[in-house]
Amino acid sequence: MSDKNATIYDIARACGVSPATVSRVVSNSGYPVSERTRQLVLQTARQLHYTPNLLGKSLKAQKSRDLGIIIPNISNSYYSLLLQGVYDEAIARGYNTILCNSYRKPEIEEKNINTLMAKQVCGILLVSIGKQTEPIRRAMEHGCQVILMEQDLNIDCVKVGFNFYKGAYMATRCLIEHHHRRIGFIGAPLDRSSRIRMVEGYRQALADHHIPEIPRDICLSETERDDTQIYEFENGRAAATYFIDMEDRPTGYVCVNDMTALGAIRTFQSAGLSVPQDVSLIGFDNIPYSEISSPRLTTIDQCTYDMGSLSTRMLVESIEEPKKPHSSITLEPTLVERDSVRTL
Amino acid sequence: MSDKNATIYDIARACGVSPATVSRVVSNSGYPVSERTRQLVLQTARQLHYTPNLLGKSLKAQKSRDLGIIIPNISNSYYSLLLQGVYDEAIARGYNTILCNSYRKPEIEEKNINTLMAKQVCGILLVSIGKQTEPIRRAMEHGCQVILMEQDLNIDCVKVGFNFYKGAYMATRCLIEHHHRRIGFIGAPLDRSSRIRMVEGYRQALADHHIPEIPRDICLSETERDDTQIYEFENGRAAATYFIDMEDRPTGYVCVNDMTALGAIRTFQSAGLSVPQDVSLIGFDNIPYSEISSPRLTTIDQCTYDMGSLSTRMLVESIEEPKKPHSSITLEPTLVERDSVRTL
DNA sequence: CTGTTAGCGCATTCAG
DNA sequence: CTGAATGCGCTAACAG
């Protein structure tokens, strides 16, 4: 067999027609070609196992059908669910996906953007962990559509956000409505807009219900080592240990995400405290695991998959209709009540 | 700013040199260029925010630095861990990754292969769910390196396998050594080599220890709906329900994967059976979650991440040294003893 | 050391 | 309806 891929020239030669004609047929251009030649070309193409070279095609067209997606880390199940949403929607609309992990490092995020630009992607979905807006701005100037997901940034582009403030507010209020009056917050470093907003929501809920805020009830892990689920779990463990040592500890806890909540729960349980009998916890994300843990986790749903598919739909639309103004959107949280919160 | 990306021609014009010179500098070709011009070109490139167009580059070179990876479904945490291994290793070696999900459909798997070929990837990592070898063969004929991961197929190419037979054997033997004499198997449809081998390993372990095989102790879920972790969990639930209804049920169970084991455990627990007091279970995969479940799951480690990175290393090596013969490898299982198996 | 040229595979003008 | 010619951005001969 041919060692190399067949090109339109090979087909043209085999059929005794011009490359132009072959191109018109195989690319489904709609350009008129006699039915006879069309069939001949199609058949020869099949015989030669012709696969169009997308590089040539994209180079000529000055654009590709590739979408880039930049996330912190794929092994985090939250992001893998987000990616699934992105991927499914992209495929459904005829686009391919090029994955980039930023590993939570702004330098790598910037490098990722450059790589994607070099590959001439027509759009980028970005969960940014930096504050840099320059690379994004440049990408947009070069005609690349960018959609910011999850994390907000001071730049004028389409954003698909999530109301973290309200989510944390709802979580806190949930505990309050179950008559908790001493509520802890188990969080992570406040290095991203989402987390800052969450603490604000927590505090506002407390204030609105005339519950005094106690600084030592907020426990933020100091460092973030890796991004696997296990580290978040460990953060939860550490926080629970902190609270277990506290004489008069809170009865309820709002956690920054589900894995952290699960780590805390397991640690409380190991210390002989029953959940939700002795302590109540509420998570954030609604990852698949939260439904199968024991107790099943009460949490805030972030419709992660939908966020991925919606972002992709919006990205594709803004690629295909660049002139039309495209507005941003903020997804709203839903409380998912399961078994980790008890009424006092 | 320029609406379009700057090219080497733009830089050449700005510097008053030829495009060839610019190319030689920016591509780090090692071709001699006077230090003066080199600096000038570099500086101008930076000013113009030059990003090389990889399409042109790859088209010219007749090859890219892209690797394709085809897996059933990214939202399965097993595959997302595998992908992380692949991705990390690829990046470390200067390759980009194009992700494809086959959604467990052979037709889509074939389409994925074609898409990757069209994008001129230089190698493909494939977790195949079909039996078709034709598309793979064609890819290889066109000079694309293919590495088969996890699932075996009747085709001559480099393979990175896992000893599923021995894994299941070890799992079964583990229960036997804990004095279990009635051992069930909780599985999935036998549509893939890995699963067939697992049942074989289970049966052989029984035979080797003179334990009679009881057909009704093998419970395979009939259909496979989706591939999210939750469905595997549900399969485990269904199997547990089946065994709970059985008068004289097995005391120990070998499960086809960890999520299935977790579903079964949860269901046994709901029925008032304690794990491992009343029933023992052993999983397969060693996904992160198996370490944090309660009880912590005894399981067979599949070194999933390493399988991803090793496969990628082998792929890159066979791309960079095509003449050298490259041999396949089979990874061996390790038993991870935790808390879900009790000695009778 | 530098420049000119050609061609990778494709789609698209413009002639016929 | 069909074909010849051009250029997308880049690199690799080949000349100078």
Side-chain angles (χ1 to χ4, degrees):
Chain A
M1 289 279 155
S2 59
D3 187 32
K4 278 189 30 60
N5 248 301
T7 73
I8 51 171
Y9 288 90
D10 299 323
I11 301 175
R13 205 175 317 118
C15 294
V17 300
S18 77
T21 302
V22 177
S23 168
R24 298 200 254 256
V25 173
V26 297
S27 69
N28 266 316
S29 67
Y31 196 93
V33 174
S34 79
E35 195 51 28
R36 277 185 51 81
T37 13
R38 169 180 305 280
Q39 289 308 330
L40 178 60
V41 166
L42 251 22
Q43 193 192 324
T44 318
R46 215 168 305 123
Q47 276 172 9
L48 266 42
H49 295 125
Y50 172 73
T51 312
N53 184 324
L54 252 34
L55 297 179
K57 207 161 176 161
S58 301
L59 182 60
K60 172 68 182 172
Q62 307 251 61
K63 68 174 184 224
S64 72
R65 286 183 79 82
D66 288 335
L67 266 28
I69 164 130
I70 304 176
I71 55 180
N73 202 297
I74 184 59
S75 67
N76 182 310
S77 71
Y78 170 80
Y79 289 115
S80 75
L81 193 55
L82 184 80
L83 177 61
Q84 183 78 43
V86 168
Y87 181 86
D88 289 353
E89 185 74 21
I91 286 299
R93 293 176 178 259
Y95 288 80
N96 274 109
T97 306
I98 298 177
L99 170 66
C100 294
N101 291 5
S102 66
Y103 299 108
R104 303 179 161 287
K105 304 230 174 70
E107 323 85 79
I108 300 188
E109 176 175 319
E110 181 169 354
K111 197 186 294 178
N112 286 337
I113 295 176
N114 290 334
T115 303
L116 292 173
M117 291 303 294
K119 295 182 95 59
Q120 313 300 112
V121 297
C122 49
I124 295 178
L125 294 159
L126 172 61
V127 177
S128 178
I129 36 70
K131 311 206 176 318
Q132 284 279 96
T133 57
E134 252 319 284
I136 303 173
R137 222 177 289 279
R138 272 219 307 283
M140 293 173 66
E141 272 162 10
H142 287 349
C144 178
Q145 298 286 343
V146 178
I147 290 198
L148 235 46
M149 298 168 70
E150 196 193 284
Q151 300 299 326
D152 199 4
L153 226 49
N154 180 27
I155 184 171
D156 181 31
C157 69
V158 177
K159 297 170 186 177
V160 176
F162 180 77
N163 197 334
F164 289 97
Y165 174 88
K166 189 165 164 197
Y169 189 102
M170 286 169 69
T172 311
R173 192 178 57 197
C174 168
L175 288 168
I176 294 171
E177 283 171 350
H178 285 81
H179 304 117
H180 290 262
R181 284 296 168 272
R182 184 79 188 279
I183 296 170
F185 185 89
I186 297 179
L190 301 182
D191 57 354
R192 290 182 278 181
S193 63
S194 60
R195 293 173 176 172
I196 294 169
R197 297 293 288 149
M198 284 180 72
V199 175
E200 287 169 2
Y202 157 80
R203 297 175 65 183
Q204 190 61 48
L206 254 36
D208 286 355
H209 295 82
H210 313 295
I211 296 178
E213 188 185 320
I214 302 174
R216 72 175 188 283
D217 284 359
I218 298 183
C219 176
L220 307 180
S221 64
E222 293 177 13
T223 55
E224 198 137 33
R225 302 190 284 184
D226 202 337
D227 194 29
T228 64
Q229 307 143 33
I230 291 300
Y231 284 101
E232 293 176 336
F233 187 84
E234 292 300 335
N235 285 344
R237 296 195 81 97
T241 304
Y242 166 82
F243 283 114
I244 287 169
D245 288 345
M246 195 182 280
E247 294 283 310
D248 58 331
R249 79 181 69 85
T251 57
Y253 299 85
V254 173
C255 302
V256 74
N257 60 44
D258 286 346
M259 277 314 264
T260 301
L262 294 176
I265 287 179
R266 205 54 40 86
T267 306
F268 278 129
Q269 287 171 336
S270 302
L273 293 167
S274 160
V275 179
Q277 276 319 106
D278 301 319
V279 287
S280 293
L281 288 95
I282 179 163
F284 209 100
D285 279 355
N286 195 22
I287 59 176
Y289 287 144
S290 65
E291 200 174 332
I292 65 179
S293 63
S294 83
R296 289 160 63 244
L297 192 62
T298 295
T299 190
I300 299 293
D301 184 53
Q302 237 194 95
C303 41
T304 315
Y305 178 93
D306 295 335
M307 185 183 250
S309 61
L310 177 63
S311 303
T312 307
R313 193 173 325 147
M314 290 172 69
L315 178 57
V316 170
E317 276 166 11
S318 67
I319 288 165
E320 293 175 355
E321 303 184 71
K323 346 108 193 286
K324 206 177 111 192
H326 295 276
S327 46
S328 295
I329 192 169
T330 302
L331 299 176
E332 295 298 325
T334 321
L335 177 66
V336 181
E337 296 209 56
R338 290 197 275 246
D339 312 325
S340 64
V341 171
R342 168 184 164 226
T343 308
L344 290 187
Chain B
M1 291 279 159
S2 58
D3 186 31
K4 277 188 31 56
N5 248 302
T7 73
I8 51 170
Y9 289 90
D10 298 324
I11 301 176
R13 205 175 316 117
C15 294
V17 299
S18 79
T21 302
V22 176
S23 169
R24 299 200 253 256
V25 172
V26 297
S27 68
N28 266 316
S29 66
Y31 196 93
V33 174
S34 80
E35 195 51 29
R36 275 186 52 82
T37 16
R38 170 182 303 282
Q39 290 308 328
L40 177 61
V41 166
L42 250 24
Q43 193 191 326
T44 319
R46 214 168 306 123
Q47 275 173 9
L48 264 43
H49 295 126
Y50 172 74
T51 312
N53 184 326
L54 251 33
L55 297 180
K57 208 161 174 161
S58 302
L59 182 60
K60 171 68 182 171
Q62 306 249 61
K63 66 173 186 228
S64 71
R65 286 184 76 84
D66 288 334
L67 266 28
I69 164 136
I70 305 177
I71 54 180
N73 201 298
I74 183 60
S75 66
N76 182 310
S77 70
Y78 171 80
Y79 289 115
S80 75
L81 194 54
L82 184 80
L83 177 62
Q84 183 79 43
V86 169
Y87 182 85
D88 289 354
E89 185 73 21
I91 286 298
R93 293 174 179 261
Y95 288 79
N96 274 109
T97 307
I98 298 177
L99 170 67
C100 293
N101 292 5
S102 66
Y103 299 108
R104 302 180 161 286
K105 304 231 174 72
E107 324 84 80
I108 300 188
E109 176 176 319
E110 180 170 354
K111 198 185 293 179
N112 286 337
I113 294 175
N114 290 334
T115 304
L116 292 173
M117 291 303 295
K119 295 181 96 60
Q120 313 299 113
V121 296
C122 47
I124 295 179
L125 293 159
L126 173 61
V127 177
S128 178
I129 35 70
K131 313 208 175 313
Q132 284 280 96
T133 57
E134 251 320 284
I136 303 174
R137 225 176 288 280
R138 271 220 307 284
M140 292 173 67
E141 271 162 11
H142 286 349
C144 180
Q145 300 285 341
V146 178
I147 289 198
L148 235 46
M149 298 166 72
E150 196 192 284
Q151 300 298 325
D152 200 3
L153 227 49
N154 180 26
I155 184 171
D156 180 32
C157 71
V158 177
K159 297 169 186 178
V160 176
F162 180 77
N163 197 335
F164 288 97
Y165 174 87
K166 187 165 165 196
Y169 190 100
M170 286 169 69
T172 311
R173 191 180 55 195
C174 168
L175 288 169
I176 294 172
E177 284 170 350
H178 285 81
H179 304 114
H180 290 263
R181 284 295 168 274
R182 184 78 187 280
I183 297 170
F185 185 89
I186 298 180
L190 300 183
D191 58 354
R192 288 182 277 181
S193 63
S194 60
R195 291 173 178 173
I196 294 170
R197 297 292 289 148
M198 284 179 73
V199 175
E200 287 170 0
Y202 157 81
R203 296 175 64 183
Q204 191 60 49
L206 254 35
D208 286 354
H209 295 82
H210 314 294
I211 296 179
E213 189 186 318
I214 302 173
R216 71 175 189 283
D217 284 358
I218 297 183
C219 176
L220 307 180
S221 64
E222 291 175 17
T223 54
E224 199 137 33
R225 302 191 284 182
D226 202 339
D227 193 30
T228 64
Q229 306 142 33
I230 291 301
Y231 284 101
E232 294 177 335
F233 186 84
E234 293 301 336
N235 285 344
R237 296 195 80 99
T241 305
Y242 166 79
F243 283 114
I244 287 168
D245 288 346
M246 196 182 280
E247 294 283 310
D248 58 333
R249 77 180 70 87
T251 56
Y253 300 84
V254 174
C255 302
V256 73
N257 60 44
D258 287 346
M259 276 315 263
T260 302
L262 294 176
I265 287 179
R266 206 51 42 84
T267 307
F268 279 128
Q269 287 171 336
S270 301
L273 293 167
S274 162
V275 179
Q277 276 320 106
D278 301 319
V279 287
S280 293
L281 288 95
I282 180 163
F284 209 101
D285 280 356
N286 195 21
I287 60 175
Y289 200 72
S290 65
E291 199 174 334
I292 65 180
S293 63
S294 86
R296 289 158 62 244
L297 191 63
T298 294
T299 190
I300 299 293
D301 183 53
Q302 236 193 95
C303 42
T304 316
Y305 178 93
D306 295 334
M307 183 183 254
S309 60
L310 177 63
S311 305
T312 307
R313 195 173 324 145
M314 291 171 67
L315 178 57
V316 170
E317 276 166 12
S318 67
I319 288 165
E320 294 175 355
E321 303 184 71
K323 342 110 194 283
K324 207 178 111 189
H326 296 275
S327 46
S328 295
I329 192 169
T330 301
L331 300 177
E332 295 299 324
T334 319
L335 176 66
V336 181
E337 295 209 57
R338 289 197 276 246
D339 312 326
S340 63
V341 171
R342 168 186 165 223
T343 307
L344 289 189

